[in-house]
Amino acid sequence: MSSFENLSLSQRIAALEAAEHGDMIPAEQVRELVAAVKEMFGQEGDKPNTTEKLYHELGELAKFINNAKKELHEVKGSSIAEEHLPNAANQLDAIVNMTEQATGRIMDECDRLTMFHNDLRERLIAMDPPLDPDGLAGVEDAINQAATSITHIFEACNFQDITGQRVQKVVRALQEIERQVLRMVVVFGLLENKDKLDAETAAELQEDAALLNGPQLSGQGLDQDEIDSILSKLL
Amino acid sequence: MSVDRNMRILVVDDAQTMRRIIVNLLRQLGFTNMTEADDGTTAWERLNGEHIDLIISDWNMPKMTGIELLKKVRESEKYKLTPFIMVTAEGKRENVIAAVQAGVSNYIVKPFNAATLKEKMTKVIGMF
């Protein structure tokens, strides 16, 4: 290792500047200096600036959310997929509706069972000749136990309301995350792509960013195709 | 004095499933005269349209929430003393305090069962 190599970059430059005109500078020292300068500028030159890096991270996040929504949409083998719901939030809404309908059917059947039990009790009491009192008491006891079980089924149906409320919270959180990420993608995208975008596309994107600025109301804001369009223009 | 099992009970919840559960459990407890509303606004109309003896209401509902309904009920001359039970998934301390400050008679956290409903009803209207 030469003594020149042990010097800092500025010391190496100073040593070369101090050389008298006509002095021969060893090729090794020049190579080392060039390598050191290249290394220093190469490291910084390869590093994207923070804004650009953040923009790409956000872009990846937006694409991930968008793809996840599409994958959810493409789930086959259930009536959810058959209904061709447009996005994940709608799918979660559909789950709430489906569990509500299923719970309703369970409760309908419980009501029917109660009706059958009451009918059975009346028929047994009205039998002629009358049933043996012990036998009748045994049947009555069984009917009461069945009624208790039906009550427990109704109690268990609480789950639908609880899960429904929690899913609604997830839906709202998903919508908000998606809106915020998309808004950032558009804002960063306009900055990063200002030289590439034509005036019309930039104006459209600015309009989209404005739409994403506030909470999305039902029937307003951007639909799936519009979101895809924004991502395709920028990413 | 025994509790009138024919007392008019208003069940308020935006979820039809929950209204059915509560009405069914009340039926199991021997009550026969229930009516329903799917939000606070409809409940308020119902309260002004007929006489209600007991209100069982959810907290989170569109248009008018359960706590807003409770405040209106307590401000009303007709219903300021009417038993009002809040049935909600909101079990946070601040929610319970807010409900108590607004004049709630009792508070049930979902999910609940018939025994809990009976216990709370007993505290509010007496043994039955």
Side-chain angles (χ1 to χ4, degrees), chain B residues 36-80:
Chain B
E36 300 175 26
D38 60 6
D39 64 63
T41 307
T42 314
W44 184 242
E45 287 167 9
R46 193 68 48 82
L47 285 159
N48 286 308
E50 61 175 306
H51 181 78
I52 300 291
D53 298 302
L54 169 68
I55 303 158
I56 299 177
S57 176
D58 182 30
W59 183 304
N60 290 316
M61 292 182 292
K63 295 183 193 169
M64 189 193 292
T65 64
I67 193 80
E68 288 166 346
L69 175 66
L70 171 61
K71 286 174 183 170
K72 273 184 96 74
V73 163
R74 289 295 174 249
E75 284 166 8
S76 133
E77 192 59 35
K78 186 179 175 186
Y79 290 111
K80 64 183 178 187

Side-chain angles (χ1 to χ4, degrees), chain A residues 108 111 151 154-155 158 161, chain B residues 18 20 24 28 110 112 114:
Chain A
D108 286 345
D111 283 341
T151 301
F154 268 94
E155 288 170 357
N158 264 303
D161 186 66
Chain B
M18 190 48 66
R20 277 189 76 174
N24 186 276
Q28 297 292 329
K110 297 174 187 173
F112 63 98

